[in-house]
PDB file of all heavy atoms in Angstrom:
ATOM      1  N   PRO A   1      55.123-156.734-109.527  1.00  0.00           N
ATOM      2  CA  PRO A   1      53.851-155.945-109.570  1.00  0.00           C
ATOM      3  C   PRO A   1      53.394-155.444-108.214  1.00  0.00           C
ATOM      4  O   PRO A   1      52.533-154.541-108.166  1.00  0.00           O
ATOM      5  CB  PRO A   1      52.916-157.013-110.143  1.00  0.00           C
ATOM      6  CG  PRO A   1      53.479-158.355-109.793  1.00  0.00           C
ATOM      7  CD  PRO A   1      54.953-158.144-109.900  1.00  0.00           C
ATOM      8  N   LYS A   2      53.875-156.037-107.127  1.00  0.00           N
ATOM      9  CA  LYS A   2      53.375-155.630-105.802  1.00  0.00           C
ATOM     10  C   LYS A   2      54.403-154.803-105.026  1.00  0.00           C
ATOM     11  O   LYS A   2      54.301-154.602-103.823  1.00  0.00           O
ATOM     12  CB  LYS A   2      52.966-156.882-104.976  1.00  0.00           C
ATOM     13  CG  LYS A   2      51.791-157.578-105.616  1.00  0.00           C
ATOM     14  CD  LYS A   2      51.255-158.658-104.685  1.00  0.00           C
ATOM     15  CE  LYS A   2      49.982-159.266-105.305  1.00  0.00           C
ATOM     16  NZ  LYS A   2      49.384-160.315-104.409  1.00  0.00           N
ATOM     17  N   PHE A   3      55.423-154.272-105.722  1.00  0.00           N
ATOM     18  CA  PHE A   3      56.416-153.428-105.076  1.00  0.00           C
ATOM     19  C   PHE A   3      55.849-152.055-104.880  1.00  0.00           C
ATOM     20  O   PHE A   3      55.269-151.437-105.855  1.00  0.00           O
ATOM     21  CB  PHE A   3      57.682-153.355-105.912  1.00  0.00           C
ATOM     22  CG  PHE A   3      58.774-152.495-105.267  1.00  0.00           C
ATOM     23  CD1 PHE A   3      59.498-152.982-104.201  1.00  0.00           C
ATOM     24  CD2 PHE A   3      59.061-151.252-105.839  1.00  0.00           C
ATOM     25  CE1 PHE A   3      60.499-152.219-103.637  1.00  0.00           C
ATOM     26  CE2 PHE A   3      60.093-150.440-105.283  1.00  0.00           C
ATOM     27  CZ  PHE A   3      60.773-150.932-104.168  1.00  0.00           C
ATOM     28  N   ARG A   4      55.980-151.488-103.625  1.00  0.00           N
ATOM     29  CA  ARG A   4      55.496-150.176-103.341  1.00  0.00           C
ATOM     30  C   ARG A   4      56.677-149.232-103.108  1.00  0.00           C
ATOM     31  O   ARG A   4      57.274-149.234-102.045  1.00  0.00           O
ATOM     32  CB  ARG A   4      54.561-150.203-102.133  1.00  0.00           C
ATOM     33  CG  ARG A   4      53.365-151.105-102.287  1.00  0.00           C
ATOM     34  CD  ARG A   4      52.698-151.440-100.964  1.00  0.00           C
ATOM     35  NE  ARG A   4      53.588-152.240-100.147  1.00  0.00           N
ATOM     36  CZ  ARG A   4      53.342-152.553 -98.847  1.00  0.00           C
ATOM     37  NH1 ARG A   4      52.215-152.146 -98.267  1.00  0.00           N
ATOM     38  NH2 ARG A   4      54.207-153.267 -98.158  1.00  0.00           N
ATOM     39  N   ARG A   5      57.064-148.439-104.144  1.00  0.00           N
ATOM     40  CA  ARG A   5      58.223-147.599-104.068  1.00  0.00           C
ATOM     41  C   ARG A   5      58.180-146.678-102.865  1.00  0.00           C
ATOM     42  O   ARG A   5      59.251-146.451-102.204  1.00  0.00           O
ATOM     43  CB  ARG A   5      58.362-146.817-105.360  1.00  0.00           C
ATOM     44  CG  ARG A   5      59.621-145.925-105.351  1.00  0.00           C
ATOM     45  CD  ARG A   5      59.589-145.021-106.599  1.00  0.00           C
ATOM     46  NE  ARG A   5      59.907-145.743-107.803  1.00  0.00           N
ATOM     47  CZ  ARG A   5      61.131-145.921-108.277  1.00  0.00           C
ATOM     48  NH1 ARG A   5      62.202-145.367-107.616  1.00  0.00           N
ATOM     49  NH2 ARG A   5      61.353-146.579-109.364  1.00  0.00           N
ATOM     50  N   GLU A   6      57.027-146.127-102.575  1.00  0.00           N
ATOM     51  CA  GLU A   6      56.980-145.131-101.483  1.00  0.00           C
ATOM     52  C   GLU A   6      57.273-145.751-100.159  1.00  0.00           C
ATOM     53  O   GLU A   6      57.901-145.107 -99.276  1.00  0.00           O
ATOM     54  CB  GLU A   6      55.570-144.487-101.461  1.00  0.00           C
ATOM     55  CG  GLU A   6      54.431-145.403-101.073  1.00  0.00           C
ATOM     56  CD  GLU A   6      53.877-146.252-102.157  1.00  0.00           C
ATOM     57  OE1 GLU A   6      54.510-146.283-103.276  1.00  0.00           O
ATOM     58  OE2 GLU A   6      52.902-146.971-101.884  1.00  0.00           O
ATOM     59  N   VAL A   7      56.933-147.037 -99.961  1.00  0.00           N
ATOM     60  CA  VAL A   7      57.259-147.702 -98.691  1.00  0.00           C
ATOM     61  C   VAL A   7      58.773-147.902 -98.606  1.00  0.00           C
ATOM     62  O   VAL A   7      59.371-147.692 -97.530  1.00  0.00           O
ATOM     63  CB  VAL A   7      56.475-149.042 -98.605  1.00  0.00           C
ATOM     64  CG1 VAL A   7      56.940-149.792 -97.371  1.00  0.00           C
ATOM     65  CG2 VAL A   7      54.986-148.823 -98.565  1.00  0.00           C
ATOM     66  N   CYS A   8      59.364-148.335 -99.657  1.00  0.00           N
ATOM     67  CA  CYS A   8      60.831-148.534 -99.708  1.00  0.00           C
ATOM     68  C   CYS A   8      61.560-147.249 -99.408  1.00  0.00           C
ATOM     69  O   CYS A   8      62.447-147.216 -98.571  1.00  0.00           O
ATOM     70  CB  CYS A   8      61.268-149.119-101.051  1.00  0.00           C
ATOM     71  SG  CYS A   8      63.012-149.399-101.228  1.00  0.00           S
ATOM     72  N   GLU A   9      61.206-146.175-100.074  1.00  0.00           N
ATOM     73  CA  GLU A   9      61.910-144.909 -99.933  1.00  0.00           C
ATOM     74  C   GLU A   9      61.675-144.307 -98.553  1.00  0.00           C
ATOM     75  O   GLU A   9      62.552-143.649 -98.049  1.00  0.00           O
ATOM     76  CB  GLU A   9      61.481-143.959-101.050  1.00  0.00           C
ATOM     77  CG  GLU A   9      61.979-144.438-102.442  1.00  0.00           C
ATOM     78  CD  GLU A   9      61.786-143.443-103.566  1.00  0.00           C
ATOM     79  OE1 GLU A   9      60.933-142.541-103.334  1.00  0.00           O
ATOM     80  OE2 GLU A   9      62.426-143.599-104.621  1.00  0.00           O
ATOM     81  N   GLN A  10      60.455-144.548 -98.002  1.00  0.00           N
ATOM     82  CA  GLN A  10      60.206-144.053 -96.604  1.00  0.00           C
ATOM     83  C   GLN A  10      61.169-144.691 -95.633  1.00  0.00           C
ATOM     84  O   GLN A  10      61.689-144.097 -94.741  1.00  0.00           O
ATOM     85  CB  GLN A  10      58.756-144.317 -96.282  1.00  0.00           C
ATOM     86  CG  GLN A  10      58.395-143.806 -94.879  1.00  0.00           C
ATOM     87  CD  GLN A  10      56.952-144.090 -94.499  1.00  0.00           C
ATOM     88  OE1 GLN A  10      56.316-144.955 -95.131  1.00  0.00           O
ATOM     89  NE2 GLN A  10      56.395-143.382 -93.586  1.00  0.00           N
ATOM     90  N   PHE A  11      61.343-146.039 -95.813  1.00  0.00           N
ATOM     91  CA  PHE A  11      62.241-146.789 -94.938  1.00  0.00           C
ATOM     92  C   PHE A  11      63.672-146.304 -95.131  1.00  0.00           C
ATOM     93  O   PHE A  11      64.397-146.043 -94.152  1.00  0.00           O
ATOM     94  CB  PHE A  11      62.154-148.272 -95.197  1.00  0.00           C
ATOM     95  CG  PHE A  11      63.042-149.136 -94.329  1.00  0.00           C
ATOM     96  CD1 PHE A  11      62.696-149.465 -93.073  1.00  0.00           C
ATOM     97  CD2 PHE A  11      64.289-149.550 -94.796  1.00  0.00           C
ATOM     98  CE1 PHE A  11      63.526-150.237 -92.266  1.00  0.00           C
ATOM     99  CE2 PHE A  11      65.123-150.300 -94.001  1.00  0.00           C
ATOM    100  CZ  PHE A  11      64.757-150.632 -92.753  1.00  0.00           C
ATOM    101  N   LEU A  12      64.150-146.128 -96.364  1.00  0.00           N
ATOM    102  CA  LEU A  12      65.509-145.694 -96.631  1.00  0.00           C
ATOM    103  C   LEU A  12      65.769-144.326 -96.092  1.00  0.00           C
ATOM    104  O   LEU A  12      66.898-143.961 -95.710  1.00  0.00           O
ATOM    105  CB  LEU A  12      65.780-145.770 -98.157  1.00  0.00           C
ATOM    106  CG  LEU A  12      65.832-147.156 -98.748  1.00  0.00           C
ATOM    107  CD1 LEU A  12      66.041-147.058-100.231  1.00  0.00           C
ATOM    108  CD2 LEU A  12      66.861-148.057 -98.082  1.00  0.00           C
ATOM    109  N   SER A  13      64.712-143.441 -96.094  1.00  0.00           N
ATOM    110  CA  SER A  13      64.891-142.079 -95.623  1.00  0.00           C
ATOM    111  C   SER A  13      65.247-142.051 -94.122  1.00  0.00           C
ATOM    112  O   SER A  13      65.811-141.075 -93.657  1.00  0.00           O
ATOM    113  CB  SER A  13      63.595-141.258 -95.823  1.00  0.00           C
ATOM    114  OG  SER A  13      62.557-141.701 -95.021  1.00  0.00           O
ATOM    115  N   ARG A  14      64.942-143.118 -93.384  1.00  0.00           N
ATOM    116  CA  ARG A  14      65.263-143.186 -91.981  1.00  0.00           C
ATOM    117  C   ARG A  14      66.623-143.852 -91.723  1.00  0.00           C
ATOM    118  O   ARG A  14      67.021-144.037 -90.562  1.00  0.00           O
ATOM    119  CB  ARG A  14      64.155-143.892 -91.228  1.00  0.00           C
ATOM    120  CG  ARG A  14      62.786-143.298 -91.363  1.00  0.00           C
ATOM    121  CD  ARG A  14      61.839-143.840 -90.292  1.00  0.00           C
ATOM    122  NE  ARG A  14      61.701-145.298 -90.318  1.00  0.00           N
ATOM    123  CZ  ARG A  14      60.788-145.919 -91.051  1.00  0.00           C
ATOM    124  NH1 ARG A  14      59.972-145.258 -91.851  1.00  0.00           N
ATOM    125  NH2 ARG A  14      60.717-147.246 -91.006  1.00  0.00           N
ATOM    126  N   SER A  15      67.322-144.171 -92.796  1.00  0.00           N
ATOM    127  CA  SER A  15      68.618-144.830 -92.691  1.00  0.00           C
ATOM    128  C   SER A  15      69.713-143.903 -93.236  1.00  0.00           C
ATOM    129  O   SER A  15      69.417-142.764 -93.649  1.00  0.00           O
ATOM    130  CB  SER A  15      68.599-146.155 -93.417  1.00  0.00           C
ATOM    131  OG  SER A  15      68.608-145.906 -94.878  1.00  0.00           O
ATOM    132  N   ASP A  16      70.959-144.393 -93.266  1.00  0.00           N
ATOM    133  CA  ASP A  16      72.060-143.621 -93.797  1.00  0.00           C
ATOM    134  C   ASP A  16      72.343-144.074 -95.247  1.00  0.00           C
ATOM    135  O   ASP A  16      73.389-143.718 -95.848  1.00  0.00           O
ATOM    136  CB  ASP A  16      73.302-143.848 -92.946  1.00  0.00           C
ATOM    137  CG  ASP A  16      73.130-143.282 -91.521  1.00  0.00           C
ATOM    138  OD1 ASP A  16      72.415-142.266 -91.378  1.00  0.00           O
ATOM    139  OD2 ASP A  16      73.694-143.852 -90.582  1.00  0.00           O
ATOM    140  N   ILE A  17      71.466-144.773 -95.866  1.00  0.00           N
ATOM    141  CA  ILE A  17      71.699-145.331 -97.249  1.00  0.00           C
ATOM    142  C   ILE A  17      71.484-144.229 -98.271  1.00  0.00           C
ATOM    143  O   ILE A  17      70.426-143.642 -98.356  1.00  0.00           O
ATOM    144  CB  ILE A  17      70.779-146.495 -97.517  1.00  0.00           C
ATOM    145  CG1 ILE A  17      70.990-147.631 -96.467  1.00  0.00           C
ATOM    146  CG2 ILE A  17      70.995-147.064 -98.948  1.00  0.00           C
ATOM    147  CD1 ILE A  17      70.015-148.744 -96.611  1.00  0.00           C
ATOM    148  N   GLN A  18      72.557-143.992 -99.036  1.00  0.00           N
ATOM    149  CA  GLN A  18      72.459-142.976-100.105  1.00  0.00           C
ATOM    150  C   GLN A  18      72.151-143.690-101.437  1.00  0.00           C
ATOM    151  O   GLN A  18      72.862-144.613-101.811  1.00  0.00           O
ATOM    152  CB  GLN A  18      73.775-142.251-100.220  1.00  0.00           C
ATOM    153  CG  GLN A  18      74.167-141.466 -98.934  1.00  0.00           C
ATOM    154  CD  GLN A  18      75.549-140.869 -99.022  1.00  0.00           C
ATOM    155  OE1 GLN A  18      76.172-140.810-100.063  1.00  0.00           O
ATOM    156  NE2 GLN A  18      76.041-140.409 -97.862  1.00  0.00           N
ATOM    157  N   GLN A  19      71.129-143.246-102.120  1.00  0.00           N
ATOM    158  CA  GLN A  19      70.673-143.965-103.298  1.00  0.00           C
ATOM    159  C   GLN A  19      71.617-143.935-104.468  1.00  0.00           C
ATOM    160  O   GLN A  19      71.554-144.676-105.392  1.00  0.00           O
ATOM    161  CB  GLN A  19      69.278-143.449-103.746  1.00  0.00           C
ATOM    162  CG  GLN A  19      68.186-143.741-102.723  1.00  0.00           C
ATOM    163  CD  GLN A  19      66.810-143.517-103.273  1.00  0.00           C
ATOM    164  OE1 GLN A  19      66.573-143.547-104.477  1.00  0.00           O
ATOM    165  NE2 GLN A  19      65.843-143.312-102.369  1.00  0.00           N
ATOM    166  N   GLY A  20      72.588-142.994-104.416  1.00  0.00           N
ATOM    167  CA  GLY A  20      73.541-142.885-105.495  1.00  0.00           C
ATOM    168  C   GLY A  20      74.709-143.871-105.365  1.00  0.00           C
ATOM    169  O   GLY A  20      75.528-144.025-106.289  1.00  0.00           O
ATOM    170  N   ARG A  21      74.862-144.515-104.235  1.00  0.00           N
ATOM    171  CA  ARG A  21      75.996-145.401-103.963  1.00  0.00           C
ATOM    172  C   ARG A  21      75.772-146.795-104.523  1.00  0.00           C
ATOM    173  O   ARG A  21      74.628-147.285-104.703  1.00  0.00           O
ATOM    174  CB  ARG A  21      76.288-145.482-102.462  1.00  0.00           C
ATOM    175  CG  ARG A  21      76.552-144.194-101.806  1.00  0.00           C
ATOM    176  CD  ARG A  21      77.077-144.347-100.418  1.00  0.00           C
ATOM    177  NE  ARG A  21      78.461-144.875-100.448  1.00  0.00           N
ATOM    178  CZ  ARG A  21      79.141-145.200 -99.342  1.00  0.00           C
ATOM    179  NH1 ARG A  21      78.551-145.152 -98.183  1.00  0.00           N
ATOM    180  NH2 ARG A  21      80.349-145.646 -99.424  1.00  0.00           N
ATOM    181  N   ARG A  22      76.927-147.429-104.901  1.00  0.00           N
ATOM    182  CA  ARG A  22      76.821-148.846-105.357  1.00  0.00           C
ATOM    183  C   ARG A  22      76.766-149.740-104.138  1.00  0.00           C
ATOM    184  O   ARG A  22      77.262-149.465-103.063  1.00  0.00           O
ATOM    185  CB  ARG A  22      78.028-149.148-106.258  1.00  0.00           C
ATOM    186  CG  ARG A  22      78.121-148.311-107.541  1.00  0.00           C
ATOM    187  CD  ARG A  22      79.300-148.799-108.397  1.00  0.00           C
ATOM    188  NE  ARG A  22      79.478-147.874-109.533  1.00  0.00           N
ATOM    189  CZ  ARG A  22      78.796-147.972-110.671  1.00  0.00           C
ATOM    190  NH1 ARG A  22      77.883-148.885-110.846  1.00  0.00           N
ATOM    191  NH2 ARG A  22      79.028-147.123-111.660  1.00  0.00           N
ATOM    192  N   VAL A  23      76.194-150.934-104.406  1.00  0.00           N
ATOM    193  CA  VAL A  23      76.044-151.915-103.326  1.00  0.00           C
ATOM    194  C   VAL A  23      77.395-152.300-102.802  1.00  0.00           C
ATOM    195  O   VAL A  23      77.606-152.508-101.585  1.00  0.00           O
ATOM    196  CB  VAL A  23      75.310-153.194-103.850  1.00  0.00           C
ATOM    197  CG1 VAL A  23      75.386-154.297-102.846  1.00  0.00           C
ATOM    198  CG2 VAL A  23      73.857-152.803-104.101  1.00  0.00           C
ATOM    199  N   LYS A  24      78.435-152.404-103.672  1.00  0.00           N
ATOM    200  CA  LYS A  24      79.752-152.818-103.246  1.00  0.00           C
ATOM    201  C   LYS A  24      80.404-151.866-102.264  1.00  0.00           C
ATOM    202  O   LYS A  24      81.342-152.194-101.542  1.00  0.00           O
ATOM    203  CB  LYS A  24      80.672-153.084-104.435  1.00  0.00           C
ATOM    204  CG  LYS A  24      80.969-151.841-105.267  1.00  0.00           C
ATOM    205  CD  LYS A  24      81.879-152.171-106.431  1.00  0.00           C
ATOM    206  CE  LYS A  24      82.224-150.965-107.265  1.00  0.00           C
ATOM    207  NZ  LYS A  24      83.068-151.344-108.441  1.00  0.00           N
ATOM    208  N   ALA A  25      79.876-150.615-102.220  1.00  0.00           N
ATOM    209  CA  ALA A  25      80.475-149.564-101.354  1.00  0.00           C
ATOM    210  C   ALA A  25      79.805-149.614 -99.977  1.00  0.00           C
ATOM    211  O   ALA A  25      80.206-148.840 -99.087  1.00  0.00           O
ATOM    212  CB  ALA A  25      80.332-148.209-101.957  1.00  0.00           C
ATOM    213  N   LEU A  26      78.794-150.453 -99.785  1.00  0.00           N
ATOM    214  CA  LEU A  26      78.036-150.472 -98.536  1.00  0.00           C
ATOM    215  C   LEU A  26      78.596-151.594 -97.638  1.00  0.00           C
ATOM    216  O   LEU A  26      79.007-152.617 -98.131  1.00  0.00           O
ATOM    217  CB  LEU A  26      76.567-150.663 -98.838  1.00  0.00           C
ATOM    218  CG  LEU A  26      75.895-149.728 -99.771  1.00  0.00           C
ATOM    219  CD1 LEU A  26      74.432-150.143 -99.956  1.00  0.00           C
ATOM    220  CD2 LEU A  26      75.985-148.295 -99.278  1.00  0.00           C
ATOM    221  N   SER A  27      78.520-151.398 -96.353  1.00  0.00           N
ATOM    222  CA  SER A  27      78.869-152.400 -95.380  1.00  0.00           C
ATOM    223  C   SER A  27      77.821-153.533 -95.411  1.00  0.00           C
ATOM    224  O   SER A  27      76.718-153.353 -95.870  1.00  0.00           O
ATOM    225  CB  SER A  27      79.010-151.831 -93.951  1.00  0.00           C
ATOM    226  OG  SER A  27      77.717-151.485 -93.481  1.00  0.00           O
ATOM    227  N   LYS A  28      78.189-154.657 -94.832  1.00  0.00           N
ATOM    228  CA  LYS A  28      77.303-155.781 -94.832  1.00  0.00           C
ATOM    229  C   LYS A  28      75.994-155.481 -94.079  1.00  0.00           C
ATOM    230  O   LYS A  28      74.884-155.790 -94.523  1.00  0.00           O
ATOM    231  CB  LYS A  28      77.958-157.016 -94.178  1.00  0.00           C
ATOM    232  CG  LYS A  28      77.145-158.297 -94.242  1.00  0.00           C
ATOM    233  CD  LYS A  28      77.915-159.484 -93.666  1.00  0.00           C
ATOM    234  CE  LYS A  28      77.152-160.772 -93.786  1.00  0.00           C
ATOM    235  NZ  LYS A  28      76.911-161.215 -95.079  1.00  0.00           N
ATOM    236  N   GLY A  29      76.112-154.735 -92.978  1.00  0.00           N
ATOM    237  CA  GLY A  29      74.919-154.372 -92.268  1.00  0.00           C
ATOM    238  C   GLY A  29      74.013-153.431 -93.038  1.00  0.00           C
ATOM    239  O   GLY A  29      72.793-153.571 -92.983  1.00  0.00           O
ATOM    240  N   VAL A  30      74.602-152.481 -93.754  1.00  0.00           N
ATOM    241  CA  VAL A  30      73.825-151.558 -94.552  1.00  0.00           C
ATOM    242  C   VAL A  30      73.107-152.271 -95.709  1.00  0.00           C
ATOM    243  O   VAL A  30      71.994-151.956 -96.076  1.00  0.00           O
ATOM    244  CB  VAL A  30      74.653-150.371 -95.059  1.00  0.00           C
ATOM    245  CG1 VAL A  30      73.927-149.482 -95.980  1.00  0.00           C
ATOM    246  CG2 VAL A  30      75.187-149.573 -93.826  1.00  0.00           C
ATOM    247  N   VAL A  31      73.877-153.220 -96.329  1.00  0.00           N
ATOM    248  CA  VAL A  31      73.259-154.000 -97.391  1.00  0.00           C
ATOM    249  C   VAL A  31      72.036-154.827 -96.873  1.00  0.00           C
ATOM    250  O   VAL A  31      71.025-154.901 -97.538  1.00  0.00           O
ATOM    251  CB  VAL A  31      74.268-154.952 -98.026  1.00  0.00           C
ATOM    252  CG1 VAL A  31      73.645-155.919 -99.043  1.00  0.00           C
ATOM    253  CG2 VAL A  31      75.397-154.159 -98.755  1.00  0.00           C
TER     254      VAL A  31
END
């Protein structure tokens, strides 16, 4: 109930994380 999607997506927008990728395709640091 206290998750703020806009905060999460703002943080991800400053990273190289692509929302269409699966977790298993990400490096440990990116995860």
Side-chain angles (χ1 to χ4, degrees):
K2 295 189 176 182
F3 181 75
R4 300 164 295 173
R5 179 188 288 268
E6 68 280 5
V7 174
C8 179
E9 293 188 341
Q10 182 181 20
F11 180 81
L12 293 179
S13 69
R14 303 197 301 270
S15 72
D16 296 326
I17 301 174
Q18 300 174 12
Q19 295 194 22
R21 302 192 70 186
R22 297 185 188 275
V23 170
K24 66 181 179 182
L26 306 177
S27 69
K28 188 176 180 66
V30 173
V31 173

